Amino acid sequence: MMMVSDKKSDDVGIKLIETESPIMVNGKKIMMEEQRQGQLRSFNPKTEAGTQYLLNEFKTKDGVIIENLTYSTNSFNQAFEKLQ
């Protein structure tokens, strides 16, 4: 689960752990903070630049490759607009 927000108060999970290494997103390393709650793990970009890069990839590409897994971006823009 990837979570992106520009609000510092949008924190989910119980324990915030900074990952020791960046995560590869479409061939670019992005520093992430990891949150764990039981078996659920979510990753949040650590910097504003990382957040903008991740959002741009989902908004403009047909798919986003995160650590060798490809995620479809079909309907991402429509869903993102509904959230705003």
Side-chain angles (χ1 to χ4, degrees), residues 5-74:
S5 174
D6 59 357
K7 298 178 185 172
K8 297 284 184 202
S9 60
D10 286 347
D11 228 5
V12 240
I14 292 176
K15 188 171 185 180
L16 181 64
I17 302 167
E18 185 177 328
T19 56
E20 292 182 15
S21 60
I23 291 178
M24 191 70 73
V25 178
N26 278 359
K28 183 175 180 176
K29 293 179 182 179
I30 304 295
M31 285 302 295
M32 298 281 188
E33 293 179 330
E34 177 184 354
Q35 296 176 334
R36 294 184 183 187
Q37 184 175 7
Q39 296 291 338
L40 178 65
R41 295 169 57 194
S42 65
F43 296 89
N44 300 297
K46 186 174 179 180
T47 66
E48 179 63 27
T51 297
Q52 292 308 312
Y53 174 78
L54 191 60
L55 282 173
N56 187 59
E57 294 301 288
F58 273 92
K59 287 179 176 181
T60 62
K61 305 290 194 267
D62 291 331
V64 176
I65 302 170
I66 301 172
E67 294 290 313
N68 301 320
L69 292 173
T70 302
Y71 296 89
S72 172
T73 59
N74 290 342

